[in-house]
Amino acid sequence: MIFRREYKIEGYVKSDVGTVRENNEDNFLLGRLINRDSRAKQEASFSTWAIGEWNCFGVFDGIGGGEKGELASLFSAQVFEGKGKKLKECHSYKEVELVLQKAFLEANNRIILAGRNSPVCGTTGTILVTDGIAAKVFHVGDSRCCLCREGENYRLTKDQTTAQLKLDIGIYRSLEDATQRERHQLTEYIGRDLTQESLSPEEGEWIDFRERDVFLLSSDGFHDFCDPGDTARILSQGGSVREMADTLLAMALQKESDDNLTVMLVRKIRE
């Protein structure tokens, strides 16, 4: 059953090449919208009253430099955009999970096949799927998803990097012990599985999507340069999702982010 006109799901995304890079290797999925032309600067908005209907949101950060990462993130965004149609046919959480799991493998295999004839490498992929009632995050790489709820910022993903791995097994006491290279060296990414059989995302738990909750999806060009406390403060102040996304992106650029950066917000409000 689809419930309408009580709550609204709205989203906004801004993607920027930044101040150093020559091309934008980030891409996104906002409902059915992606950065089809891999433009240096791109933004899009989303809105629906159809609570009870599945929608998918994602951030993809290409790796490999030049055209390699740009194509990998675009291919992945296209695959997940196509899977959005399949979500309309889902009637259970399990069916939704299977669609998303298959999407990660399909994106991986498209990158592998394309890489045989062109310089395509890989990409991160952080996906939020929700029907406006419940939500779940699927994740590969070091793009992130956070939930801002009642002024607190909750991180829902863990970076899949060499630095995080060494921290988890006790080699490091904190991430500050890691080298800059280790902090950005991915242990998992879409396009890594050359067998084309076994890539699977890290999955969170299903959580309630409450009124005034704000999900933030971002590439590392944003979250490497912005304090979580500052981010939570901006998201708690209210305003439109566009205004908040503008403020967050500007904050990262002011802190001299040296990478492509993408900021996506998805919020539930009553109107």
Side-chain angles (χ1 to χ4, degrees):
M1 179 181 295
I2 297 176
F3 304 92
R4 299 180 183 272
R5 295 294 175 186
E6 181 179 5
Y7 290 103
K8 178 181 180 181
I9 304 300
E10 57 181 10
Y12 203 86
V13 62
K14 292 181 72 74
S15 186
D16 195 289
V17 68
T19 59
V20 176
R21 303 294 179 90
E22 295 182 355
N23 62 317
N24 191 355
E25 294 186 89
D26 284 5
N27 215 302
F28 59 78
L29 172 65
L30 186 72
R32 299 298 306 279
L33 304 172
I34 66 175
N35 188 359
R36 298 186 185 280
D37 301 321
S38 297
R39 295 180 185 177
K41 298 179 185 292
Q42 183 67 285
E43 55 189 297
S45 61
F46 171 90
S47 179
T48 182
W49 292 95
I51 303 299
E53 183 176 281
W54 294 106
N55 285 286
C56 192
F57 310 91
V59 167
F60 310 91
D61 181 357
I63 59 176
E67 188 182 37
K68 296 180 181 180
E70 185 176 304
L71 289 175
S73 62
L74 174 61
F75 291 163
S76 294
Q78 290 172 334
V79 167
F80 280 89
E81 177 198 13
K83 291 299 183 182
K85 299 176 183 178
K86 288 289 186 181
L87 291 175
K88 308 300 182 185
E89 304 169 8
C90 294
H91 301 289
S92 70
Y93 290 166
K94 186 62 177 178
E95 290 178 349
V96 171
E97 291 166 353
L98 289 173
V99 168
L100 270 296
Q101 290 162 2
K102 290 178 180 178
F104 274 92
L105 185 58
E106 183 176 323
N108 175 85
N109 294 351
R110 182 172 179 185
I111 291 170
I112 295 297
L113 292 173
R116 293 176 180 176
N117 300 308
S118 61
V120 178
C121 190
T123 181
T124 68
T126 298
I127 303 295
L128 170 72
V129 62
T130 180
D131 61 353
I133 302 168
K136 183 169 181 171
V137 177
F138 299 76
H139 168 68
V140 171
D142 67 349
S143 295
R144 294 179 184 175
C145 181
C146 297
L147 168 63
C148 183
R149 174 176 286 173
E150 298 180 354
E152 296 293 331
N153 203 40
Y154 301 95
R155 177 127 157 239
L156 303 180
T157 57
K158 179 189 287 188
D159 293 347
Q160 294 176 325
T161 61
T162 299
Q164 184 64 55
L165 177 63
K166 289 186 175 182
L167 178 66
D168 290 343
I169 64 178
I171 294 177
Y172 293 147
R173 293 185 178 180
S174 74
L175 289 177
E176 298 301 317
D177 297 331
T179 66
Q180 190 70 11
R181 180 174 180 273
E182 288 175 328
R183 294 177 196 177
H184 294 91
Q185 187 176 44
L186 298 181
T187 56
E188 295 288 343
Y189 57 89
I190 303 173
R192 180 198 61 78
D193 180 25
L194 299 177
T195 70
Q196 303 180 52
E197 296 177 353
S198 62
L199 181 78
S200 58
E202 181 180 274
E203 300 184 29
E205 300 294 330
W206 287 100
I207 60 176
D208 294 337
F209 195 172
R210 302 178 186 175
E211 182 182 356
R212 294 189 297 276
D213 279 352
V214 183
F215 288 95
L216 164 64
L217 289 80
S218 62
S219 61
D220 61 358
F222 170 77
H223 54 251
D224 278 356
F225 293 86
C226 295
D227 180 79
D230 292 337
T231 299
R233 174 179 52 79
I234 291 168
L235 295 179
S236 299
Q237 288 176 346
S240 70
V241 284
R242 179 173 187 171
E243 291 169 337
M244 291 188 293
D246 285 343
T247 301
L248 291 173
L249 190 74
M251 179 172 65
L253 290 172
Q254 288 170 1
K255 294 188 177 182
E256 301 182 348
S257 171
D258 60 359
D259 199 353
N260 305 147
L261 55 163
T262 299
V263 174
M264 177 183 292
L265 300 179
V266 180
R267 177 172 68 176
K268 180 177 180 177
I269 58 173
R270 185 194 298 264
E271 285 195 358

